[in-house]
Amino acid sequence: MTPSTTVHSPLRLYGRSGELAILETLLGKLRTGDGGALVLTAPPGLGRTALLRQAAAHYLRGHGGPVLYASAAPTEQRLPYSGLHALLCSAPGPLPLAPDTVLSSGITPGALLGLLRALGAEQPLLVCVDDAHLWDPDSRAALGFAARRLGAGSRVAVVIGAADETAFAGLPALRLGPLDDDAATALLDRLTDGAADVDPVVRSELLREAAGNPRLLAGLAGRLTPGQLAGRTALPYPLPGGESVLDAHAAHLDGLSCDTHTLLLLAAAAEEHEPDGAGSDAALLLRAGVRAGLSASHLDRVLFAPAGSAGALQRAGSRVHFSHPLLRRAVLHRAPPGRRRAVHELLAGLLGGGEPDRARLPALVQKACASTGPDAGLAEQLERAATAPRPHGERSAALARAAALSTDDALRAARFTAAAEQARLAGDTGRARAMLARVGPHLAEGAAPYVRGMLALRDGPVADAREALLAAAELLAPHDPRRTLDALFGAAEAAWAMGDAIAYLDAMNRVPVAAADRPTAQYRAGMCAVLAGHPDRGHALLRCCLDSAARAEDAGELLRAGACALVLGEVDAACRAGARALAVVRTRGPEALLPHALEQLAYAELRSGQHARARAHALEGLHAARRTGQRNSAAHLHAVLALAASVEGPAEACAAHADAALTGAGPHGLAQAATLATWAVARADLAAGRPGEAAARLGPLVRPGPGTGHFATRMLAVPCYVEAVVLSGRAHEAGGELAVAVQEFTLWTTRTTDPQVPAQLARCRALLAPAEEAAARYEEALAHHDRAGGDFERARTRLLQGQLLRRLRRTREARGPLRDALVAFERCSARAWAGRAAGELRAAGEAVDAPDRSGPGPLAALTPQQQRIARCVAEGATNREVAVRLSVSPRTVDHHLRNVFAALGVRSRTELARLLDRGGGARLQDRDEKKRADL
């Protein structure tokens, strides 16, 4: 048998590198004489066929060996051995057994196994079968039998593509998942020939609608005109182009009974008035099934047992879901229009017979689904019913139906825009953008740019969000004062996230005072006064706004009150306002505000020293931001988590969260998130005893001028900067910058009521003061700490005080402050800082429990001071840097280092670093390090 030449190399596959590597491993074994089998399973459209063709073409191209390749013909499913007949007919040469003989007389599984082995004995053989689930049962059974017995030395590999692995149980299976966002985006670029003018909203809608299905994405993109792709023409609703994929999904249900098809159609139709992903109400389906003439036993069998619907339906409590979202759409697509309308009318009648207010909107949506064409009256009813207290998601679905029924282009655009806004408030960013894509640009009034800008504020470049919201405010000003205010406050928030104080003032100064209530007007005037350099007047106005919020029940007003408190430095008040805002959002919504509310509360708790609470709220906020598609909020929450980890540890968590924050902050221009993340990493460097690296990170943040840290947070990092510069021995080099930073911080201290700031200023002065003056400065700082409370900041002051005393050779006196610091750090779970304090205390001659390590390690024979020096040197520090870090002289470092080399039997710094790397000696110096790494 000669090699086949009928299999052609497919186009490039996207997002399948892992699957291709697995196939290449199988083919590599085949080339060396070993066989095997693999079943590729996936719903229609995910690329089973493309992978099979790629494998066959790759084997032909690289080895030139024979390939048997066959695809199933559904029309032959009832013809015995038709599948194997097609497979054997693909052989490029004569076979020991004629294919026609197999079709007429059949073949036993053992005979098929023998035939494949005989073919493989001549030359390693690859067998590829596509859509094997559609083969006749006899062919499937024989192929499965043979494939299970092809292993080492068989020289035959079988790759089977099927919808699931049921018919091929016992064989290795690889289930294909949807393409990830990057792969789907790359595929869409190829499908549109890399056109740069594809509108971002259209791109987002295509990716959302395809849900990672490459064939569906190709079908959808291929049906759009250039004007629709560029956003110059509104997208059709619903999008065309997915018919072939839906037909393939529906084909899996062809063997079910007529009654089961009826129930599946009822379940699919009953989801039309529900939010995306909510499923349908099981009680409604039971009532509808009875009304449709289905028996109770059949309903129970299909709804309560997955096998009753061939796995198409799954029940979760009182809700019924389709096993795959496209399966629901396929059921509706395959049903005849008249039957589909009848089902919707049946559901509308059942829903309309319940409580009028509660069931009116769902009944109207079902009536809209049953409509045969535009219906202005029904569209108006839907619009009037889509109001509170209905959930935002339901309102969005109803308004989209109203838009589809509208006969007037302007009304249609307005209703799609309203549907987008409700979807945004429901936290469904993808649906909101999908609705906006249906609004033609020439019909986009102020409401559409407003929704677009609000979406970008949470999930896009904030500079774009600011411009869109300013434009929307101008369009909305004549007829919609409420949205005008929201747009201007959104533009100001975008400017704040950018770190652009001038742009913030510009947006706030556009707020019409006449349209704002008293607290809002006070907030606007107060923030403008503070940023314009009039802190006294601004603080008075902000305090009035904060006092007014004591009676507030609106989430937006409470969030503004929390912002007032943070600007004032009243961190406890900020925590209270944030907690109230979060409670309002949880109980009344909207869901879209949940990540922002959690972010603001977590940040306030960080400022107040409640690091564990901040971490808990920030983690919840991060999950909410991911769920609602708000990448900007996710970046800010990662920055908050990095700051919490810079206190509690581990250092790896701090670095990971900071990296995630910076990755999100860069493309979207989030200066505040970037500043906080950088500060967090620098603070972790300080905790780990790397002041030089901390100073290098913090220097660009705290210096004045453009391109520096965020204007509202840079002062918070000054105490860490001063500490890092002094401990790294670079105070003389950074004299000018250091003096300016401390001078600015001193001025800022007079303008904030943050209770920790006076103590931090005194600590900075102590670090910069001569030794004889520093002791008094530290005592001043401790007095401020006693009034302010807060374990962490007080412990940092005591740590630095103890380090100073030890440097002055007052070792016995140093033990008290260092012991206090260690206990306080442990009390507030600042593990890395506790490790640093424990190291200082050991160096001062006090016995402290050694860090918990997995074994004695290479440093076990060294004294505590020698261990600290060895670790510093292994990290690459020079003797002078080690001396500054440990508050000893370079001569002392040199002396201890000679003893370390002798004790460990090494001759160079490189050998020492290698030894510690192998033995784990460079781990973090605290007893909880292993537990933190596990977390």
Side-chain angles (χ1 to χ4, degrees):
M1 186 173 65
T2 57
S4 170
T5 58
T6 59
V7 179
H8 302 286
S9 178
L11 295 173
R12 175 186 170 189
L13 296 182
Y14 292 85
R16 298 301 184 199
S17 57
E19 291 86 349
L20 289 171
I22 293 172
L23 286 169
E24 175 56 31
T25 300
L26 180 66
L27 297 181
K29 290 181 179 179
L30 178 60
R31 294 187 191 102
T32 61
D34 286 334
L38 180 67
V39 182
L40 297 175
T41 68
L46 286 185
R48 287 195 322 261
T49 300
L51 278 169
L52 280 168
R53 289 177 178 170
Q54 183 90 326
H58 186 66
Y59 184 67
L60 279 172
R61 189 169 56 245
H63 184 71
V67 176
L68 299 182
Y69 191 104
S71 296
T75 56
E76 298 177 358
Q77 192 169 10
R78 296 185 180 181
L79 183 61
Y81 298 104
S82 58
L84 287 176
H85 178 263
L87 180 66
L88 297 177
C89 283
S90 70
L95 297 174
L97 180 65
D100 291 347
T101 303
V102 172
L103 188 62
S104 60
S105 305
I107 183 172
T108 65
L112 176 63
L113 176 61
L115 175 61
L116 294 178
R117 283 177 172 167
L119 295 175
E122 299 177 14
Q123 218 175 347
L125 171 69
L126 176 63
V127 178
C128 295
V129 178
D130 195 12
D131 287 332
H133 58 283
L134 299 178
W135 264 15
D136 61 280
D138 294 318
S139 294
R140 282 203 310 265
L143 180 65
F145 176 90
R148 293 184 192 96
R149 289 157 178 81
L150 294 171
S154 66
R155 296 167 60 89
V156 181
V158 178
V159 183
I160 302 170
D164 57 58
E165 60 269 26
T166 305
F168 302 99
L171 290 174
L174 175 61
R175 185 163 185 82
L176 306 184
L179 299 184
D180 60 28
D181 290 343
D182 291 340
T185 300
L187 174 59
L188 182 57
D189 287 340
R190 193 200 78 189
L191 293 170
T192 56
D193 295 324
D197 60 345
V198 176
D199 184 76
V201 174
V202 174
R203 178 185 296 274
S204 174
E205 167 59 353
L206 287 172
L207 294 174
R208 185 190 80 94
E209 190 75 6
N213 188 302
R215 182 157 52 136
L216 181 55
L217 181 60
L220 296 173
R223 293 286 291 275
L224 296 184
T225 66
Q228 289 169 337
L229 284 171
R232 294 189 296 270
T233 308
L235 292 184
Y237 181 76
L239 286 176
E243 294 80 6
S244 66
V245 177
L246 296 180
D247 285 337
H249 273 274
H252 294 305
L253 307 175
D254 285 346
L256 299 177
S257 68
C258 182
D259 285 352
T260 303
H261 273 288
T262 299
L263 187 56
L264 289 174
L265 182 56
L266 285 168
E271 286 196 34
E272 290 292 293
H273 64 268
E274 302 278 6
D276 287 348
S280 55
D281 181 17
L284 175 63
L285 287 183
L286 287 171
R287 291 166 55 208
V290 171
R291 183 72 64 88
L294 303 180
S295 67
S297 61
H298 183 77
L299 290 170
D300 290 343
R301 185 169 63 255
V302 176
L303 290 179
F304 294 94
S309 63
L313 294 181
Q314 298 172 346
R315 182 160 181 181
S318 63
R319 310 298 296 180
V320 176
H321 300 263
F322 277 85
S323 57
H324 194 283
L326 288 178
L327 197 55
R328 185 188 79 84
R329 290 166 55 185
V331 169
L332 291 172
H333 168 73
R334 177 69 72 90
R339 190 175 181 215
R340 191 169 63 242
R341 285 195 298 271
V343 164
H344 286 302
E345 288 169 356
L346 185 153
L347 291 170
L350 289 174
L351 290 165
E355 303 173 36
D357 291 337
R358 181 177 179 81
R360 181 166 179 254
L361 186 60
L364 288 173
V365 171
Q366 291 296 335
K367 284 184 179 180
C369 294
S371 177
T372 57
D375 188 331
L378 183 54
E380 187 176 350
Q381 291 182 60
L382 279 165
E383 186 176 27
R384 285 202 305 265
T387 57
R390 303 301 307 186
H392 293 291
E394 290 186 24
R395 286 188 246 174
S396 176
L399 287 164
R401 288 289 173 186
L405 294 174
S406 301
T407 55
D408 179 78
D409 288 345
L411 266 179
R412 183 185 299 110
R415 286 164 177 163
F416 271 129
T417 301
E421 182 170 9
Q422 293 300 321
R424 178 187 73 82
L425 292 171
D428 193 342
T429 302
R431 181 177 176 83
R433 290 197 168 106
M435 294 298 101
L436 284 177
R438 270 79 186 183
V439 181
H442 60 288
L443 296 171
E445 298 182 355
Y450 166 76
V451 178
R452 218 173 253 115
M454 295 302 282
L455 287 170
L457 178 61
R458 304 291 177 216
D459 188 52
V462 285
D464 295 353
R466 174 181 172 272
E467 294 299 331
L469 290 168
L470 289 177
E474 288 187 16
L475 294 169
L476 292 167
H479 58 86
D480 197 338
R482 182 188 65 80
R483 278 199 183 88
T484 301
L485 277 178
D486 290 344
L488 290 171
F489 279 130
E493 187 179 341
W496 186 282
M498 293 162 54
D500 191 335
I502 296 174
Y504 180 88
L505 284 171
D506 173 59
M508 292 294 271
N509 284 327
R510 299 189 193 197
V511 173
V513 179
D517 56 21
R518 185 177 178 81
T520 303
Q522 290 170 336
Y523 172 76
R524 170 203 161 278
M527 294 297 287
C528 287
V530 169
L531 289 186
H534 308 292
D536 293 338
R537 181 159 59 88
H539 286 182
L541 289 165
L542 293 178
R543 195 161 279 107
C544 290
C545 177
L546 184 57
D547 293 341
S548 300
R551 301 174 296 279
E553 295 183 357
D554 175 71
E557 186 175 347
L558 287 167
L559 288 171
R560 284 193 290 273
C564 290
L566 287 170
V567 172
L568 290 168
E570 297 183 8
V571 290
D572 290 338
C575 290
R576 290 192 296 271
R580 289 183 58 207
L582 178 59
V584 170
V585 171
R586 286 193 200 280
T587 54
R588 303 179 190 173
E591 181 75 8
L593 263 185
L594 183 60
H596 183 56
L598 285 161
E599 173 201 331
Q600 185 167 302
L601 175 58
Y603 180 65
E605 287 169 336
L606 267 184
R607 292 278 301 274
S608 67
Q610 302 175 68
H611 304 103
R613 286 188 186 181
R615 174 170 44 81
H617 282 128
L619 280 173
E620 183 186 354
L622 185 58
H623 294 316
R626 289 170 174 165
R627 185 176 65 249
T628 56
Q630 299 186 27
R631 287 176 292 176
N632 292 355
S633 295
H636 283 102
L637 287 156
H638 273 299
V640 171
L641 286 165
L643 281 167
S646 71
V647 174
E648 296 184 322
E652 295 82 359
C654 177
H657 284 301
D659 183 62
L662 292 169
T663 300
H668 290 179
L670 306 174
Q672 185 173 20
T675 298
L676 295 177
T678 304
W679 176 27
V681 176
R683 193 158 70 176
D685 285 336
L686 272 177
R690 297 189 294 269
E693 294 180 29
R697 296 183 197 278
L698 292 171
L701 294 187
V702 302
R703 68 171 62 107
T708 60
H710 191 275
F711 63 85
T713 54
R714 51 189 286 268
M715 283 295 101
L716 299 173
V718 168
C720 284
Y721 173 64
V722 174
E723 180 179 341
V725 170
V726 171
L727 293 185
S728 63
R730 300 175 185 173
H732 181 71
E733 298 174 22
E737 282 189 6
L738 195 59
V740 170
V742 173
Q743 185 178 3
E744 275 195 279
F745 190 75
T746 303
L747 179 61
W748 183 66
T749 303
T750 65
R751 298 177 175 179
T752 181
T753 58
D754 188 328
Q756 296 296 340
V757 170
Q760 291 173 332
L761 176 61
R763 186 170 73 210
C764 290
R765 288 172 171 166
L767 283 164
L768 296 170
E772 58 275 10
E773 183 185 336
R777 292 292 189 185
Y778 278 123
E779 291 300 328
E780 178 189 347
L782 291 169
H784 286 301
H785 283 307
D786 290 339
R787 288 188 289 272
D791 283 337
F792 179 67
E793 288 297 330
R794 190 179 197 282
R796 287 183 66 181
T797 299
R798 290 292 272 171
L799 174 61
L800 292 170
Q801 183 185 30
Q803 283 184 278
L804 172 67
L805 292 171
R806 197 172 67 78
R807 192 177 71 223
L808 296 175
R809 309 292 184 182
R810 295 158 63 178
T811 306
R812 189 180 298 275
E813 293 178 57
R815 294 173 188 167
L818 293 173
R819 194 183 304 112
D820 289 348
L822 174 60
V823 171
F825 283 138
E826 290 177 340
R827 186 164 53 240
C828 62
S829 299
R831 298 174 182 86
W833 293 86
R836 179 176 156 192
E840 290 286 344
L841 194 54
R842 282 192 295 272
E846 182 160 319
V848 180
D849 289 343
D852 181 20
R853 296 192 177 94
S854 57
L859 303 187
L862 304 182
T863 67
Q865 185 73 313
Q866 288 173 343
Q867 290 180 12
R868 299 182 74 210
I869 290 172
R871 291 190 181 98
C872 291
V873 170
E875 291 172 5
T878 65
N879 282 11
R880 183 171 295 279
E881 289 171 339
V882 175
V884 171
R885 192 182 297 185
L886 303 184
S887 301
V888 295
S889 69
R891 183 175 296 178
T892 301
V893 173
D894 182 70
H895 169 75
H896 282 301
L897 192 56
R898 291 175 185 275
N899 292 333
V900 167
F901 282 9
L904 299 181
V906 296
R907 292 175 294 178
S908 68
R909 292 169 181 263
T910 302
E911 289 185 21
L912 175 63
R914 288 174 181 166
L915 178 66
L916 265 63
D917 184 58
R918 288 196 306 269
R923 295 175 184 169
L924 295 175
Q925 300 182 51
D926 67 85
R927 71 190 66 180
D928 296 319
E929 186 270 346
K930 185 176 184 298
K931 297 178 182 176
R932 289 188 282 109
D934 292 339
L935 293 176

